[in-house]
Structures are given as structure tokens and as C-alpha cells.
Amino acid sequence: MFVEKGAAIVSHLGQLEAAVMECLWAHDEAMPVREVLTELNGSRELAYTTVMTVLDNLHRKGMVARSKAGRAWVYIPVGSRSSYTAELMEEALAGNPDRGAALLHFVEKLPADELMQLRQLLDPTGPDPSVTSKSPASETARQL
Amino acid sequence: MTTTLGLLLFGVGLGVLGPRRLERSSWLTRSPLLGILAWLTLSLTVFVSFVWAGVTVAAHAMPDGGWLGSAVHACSVLLSEEGVWKQSPVIPALGAALSFGAVGALFGAVQIARRRERSQLRRKRDLLEVVCAPHSEPDVMVLEHHVPSVFCLPGGRGASVVVSRGALDCLSESQLQQVLAHERAHLASRHHLILRWADAFAVVLRGRLGSAQARIRIAELVEMHADDAAGRHNRRDLAEAVIALAGGAHPTGALGAGGSALSRVRRLTAPVKPISQVARGGILLSLLTMVLAPGIIALTPGLSAIFVDACPFFF
């Protein structure tokens, strides 16, 4: 994904974050760092401090909440995987998004009747004469 | 005084008549980039004429005493026996404050939008980092959601395209490639910056004088520009992708603003006649004239006249 060396580390940490979240989602209860480490070390060899850093990052980003259990912090996800997915999809799901310039969507969602109108434009056997009289797409491309 | 009034009239007149003229012109959709430039220039010119109007007040520019100027001057003298207009520093100061304020507000609006976008994007990136699956294309991320949706996150190195599982399911391979090319065109052309400035003009002009309309039209035109960049060879696939991705909406929620998708598909299915070089040059020249006009109006009575008038006042 990234070519630069510094970015490769960032990407690596990103993957770790995903793995840690995965681990937290798989458990119902809040987990201390040690437990997350044990869980993850089934598949790879990680340092305690690495996992602690990742959990700290996730906490800073508001992805996990933490509380003290005895002397150690325990971590629990703030939202479920599906709620995070839904948040990412919210502009698409809301239909008519209050669109900032931050996200550029490919196309907005349309009601059924407007969708029908669009299909008619594409369908060469459709009743719309302005479309049928025009050249097919391949020719369109050549003219441009 | 006539100059100030002239500038105000020019700004308002352009803000009212300009959008109508642009809505009637076909060249905007034939060359989306030129269209974007036209709408932005229109908003900029309206804005700039008001700024110049403030400057002329500040510069106390009443060198000529046309009938309009005399009339207004007479009124202002009548309203205040002191002849506030000529002697008090309040009105010129107000003019200067308005001009500086307007410019400040414009850049402030851009800055605020930039910060807001940045924090929005950071949140989206954080979320994507933990819920997204990778795709064979390195700059593409897959979101496990059944509703078809594709969008891009602009911003330097981390710029990426997000595709939902629903979108992958409903698009053919070549359609997907067209959609990705479209989104990459958004990122490469930095369309989010264009939209940010259009937003800022709409904020500063309060959506009036064509600025809200410009924002909507520019949003449509950047889509068309990305369509052109993507679908140079296979526009039909792109048109089919637009339709595929416009479906599958949530049943609730206010839908609409479908004009853009309709005109996009129409453009993708019917041949678009490119604009001749001569027409392009003509359009660019008139846009340049338009944006320079307020400055020319402001300075017409003569630079010296303004400063001769202003200097004794300030010093």
C-alpha cells in the first residue's frame, strides 16, 4: 500500500489496530493489555508495550473506552464493528447527505422513478427517441 | 460615490443575471472544467465588486459629481447638518472595515471548512483502519456493507477510494474499473478544494446572488469532469455503473437532487460535442474581463483622483 519506509510502519500499526479491535469485539468483557497480548500472540510475536501503545492509540481515537480494574487498565470497544461500518456508510444511507466537500460520492441515491428514467436513457429499445436515434456507446467514445 | 453605487449595482446585477446566463449556456456541460471556472469566477466577481465598493468608500472616492452622486450627497448632507459624509471618519472607516471583513470572512470560511473536513476525514480514516478489508488495488478499501456505495477520501498520501461490498457485487469488473478511475480523477484533480472554495463563497454571500446555485452546479460539474477523465474509452460502462450505484437506497430519508445523475447519464450515452478552441478562448477572455471589471470600475475616475481625495483625509 505504501512505498515509503515511515509509512510502512504506520500501515503496520494500522493492521495491528484492526487485529486488536477484532480481539476486543470477539470478547464480551473488558480486557486488560496482558489478555489481548496472549490472544494475539497465538498468531504472532508481539511485545507487551506494542499492544499497550496500540490500545492507547485506539483510546485516543475514541475507538475503545478504558477503566481501571485493580492496578491495570481494561479496554472495551466503544462501538460494534457494524456501528462503525454504518458510520462510514451514513452519507450513502441517509439518501440526501449534508455533503461536506470532505467525501466525494460516486453518485447519490435516487428514488425509483428517477432510476427508471435513467435506465430508459441506456436502453436502446426504450421509447425515448432522443436516445435511440443517437449512435451507440462505442461510436460515442470514438468521437470524443 | 457614483463609483461605489456603480460597483454595488454591478455586483448585484451580475449576481442576478449571471446565473441565468450560465444556466442557459450549453458549453458548461460540454467542457465541465470551463463550467466550473465560469461559476467560480462569477461568485468571485460578485464578491470582489463588493470589496471594491468598500474600498472606494474608504478611499472617499467622490471625484466626479454625477447627478446620482450629487443627489446622494445632498441627501447625506440633509440627513446630517455636519455633512458626515465629507468630514467624519466613520463612513470611510466603515467601508474599509467592510472590505477587510469580507476578505477575512472568505478566507476564514475556507479555513473553518478545511479544519472541519480534516477532523471528519481523520475520523473516517480511523474507522476504516479497523473495519476495512484490503482490495487487490492498493489504493482501494472494501467496506463490508450490502448497500452499494463508492466514495473517496481526499488528502495527500492517505487518499483512497472506499468501495462497499454491495458495490462490488453489483458492478462488473470493467464497470468497477471505470468507477475507480472516476474517483481517482476526483482525487487527482483535487475536486474537494474546488468545492471548498465554492462553499466559502456561498457562506460569505449567504447563498445569495447565485452563490448557492454555483455551489450546486459546481458539485455537478466536478462529477462530469471526473466522468470525462474516467470514461474516455468506455462511457457506457460508466453510465451503467451510475445507474447501478444510484439504486439500492435506504427506503427512508429524503431522496432527490437527481438532476445531476440524469444529466450525467445523458452525457455519457449521447456524444458530447467538444468546444472549439476559438469559443474556448472567447469564454476565457470574457471571464477574465468579468473578474477585472470591478477593479476597472473602481479605478476609472483615476487613481490620482482617489488618492488626492483620500490623502488629506488620512494624514
Side-chain angles (χ1 to χ4, degrees), chain B residues 20 54 121 171 175 191 203 232 234 264-265 279:
Chain B
R20 290 187 199 167
L121 285 173
L171 294 175
Q175 285 169 355
H191 284 156
V203 168
R232 210 165 290 152
N234 204 343
R264 270 172 77 191
V265 171

Side-chain angles (χ1 to χ4, degrees), chain A residues 92-96 108-112 114, chain B residues 249-258:
Chain A
L93 297 176
N96 195 9
E108 68 274 41
K109 296 290 174 199
L110 299 178
E114 285 185 36
Chain B
H250 209 253
T252 60
L255 295 167

Side-chain angles (χ1 to χ4, degrees), chain A residues 1-4 7-8 10-12 14-15, chain B residues 125 128-129 132-142 157-162:
Chain A
M1 180 166 192
F2 298 106
V3 205
E4 303 123 277
V10 173
S11 162
H12 174 66
Q15 280 171 15
Chain B
R125 288 229 169 76
L128 279 171
E129 201 82 75
C132 255
H135 187 260
S136 55
E137 310 259 348
D139 61 337
V140 177
M141 295 198 259
V142 180
R157 200 182 58 191
S160 48
V161 182
V162 182

Side-chain angles (χ1 to χ4, degrees), chain B residues 110-171:
Chain B
V110 169
Q111 205 57 26
I112 288 167
R114 200 170 75 94
R115 290 223 190 98
R116 197 184 45 227
E117 280 167 31
R118 193 182 272 182
S119 77
Q120 263 179 25
L121 285 173
R122 193 180 298 132
R123 172 71 179 167
K124 301 273 175 194
R125 288 229 169 76
D126 290 348
L127 290 170
L128 279 171
E129 201 82 75
V130 297
V131 299
C132 255
H135 187 260
S136 55
E137 310 259 348
D139 61 337
V140 177
M141 295 198 259
V142 180
L143 200 53
E144 294 297 338
H145 200 284
H146 65 280
V147 170
S149 177
V150 178
F151 57 90
C152 61
L153 289 89
R157 200 182 58 191
S160 48
V161 182
V162 182
V163 181
S164 75
R165 180 63 59 192
L168 287 178
D169 288 344
C170 76
L171 294 175

Side-chain angles (χ1 to χ4, degrees), chain A residues 58-77:
Chain A
L58 287 170
H59 175 251
R60 191 170 37 78
K61 292 176 181 177
M63 312 293 266
V64 299
R66 69 179 178 190
S67 54
K68 278 265 179 168
R71 282 173 51 224
W73 289 108
V74 288
Y75 295 85
I76 193 159

Side-chain angles (χ1 to χ4, degrees), chain B residues 7 10 14 41 44-45 48-49 52 284-300:
Chain B
L7 283 163
F10 179 79
L14 192 67
T41 310
L44 175 70
T45 309
V48 161
S49 18
W52 271 115
L284 284 173
L285 196 65
S286 24
L287 290 179
L288 186 69
T289 313
M290 181 168 83
V291 78
L292 292 179
I296 293 168
I297 296 172
L299 301 177
T300 305

Side-chain angles (χ1 to χ4, degrees), chain A residues 10-85:
Chain A
V10 173
S11 162
H12 174 66
L13 275 178
Q15 280 171 15
L16 265 182
E17 283 181 8
V20 167
M21 285 306 290
E22 212 60 68
C23 176
L24 291 173
W25 278 324
H27 291 75
D28 285 338
E29 291 166 354
M31 293 171 82
V33 180
R34 177 69 59 193
E35 239 175 80
V36 177
L37 178 71
T38 323
E39 194 89 2
L40 288 179
N41 269 353
S43 52
R44 61 189 110 182
E45 214 48 51
L46 292 167
Y48 180 87
T49 46
T50 309
V51 176
M52 201 175 68
T53 308
V54 170
L55 277 165
D56 200 48
N57 283 345
L58 287 170
H59 175 251
R60 191 170 37 78
K61 292 176 181 177
M63 312 293 266
V64 299
R66 69 179 178 190
S67 54
K68 278 265 179 168
R71 282 173 51 224
W73 289 108
V74 288
Y75 295 85
I76 193 159
V78 171
S80 65
R81 171 184 269 278
S82 60
S83 77
Y84 288 158
T85 308

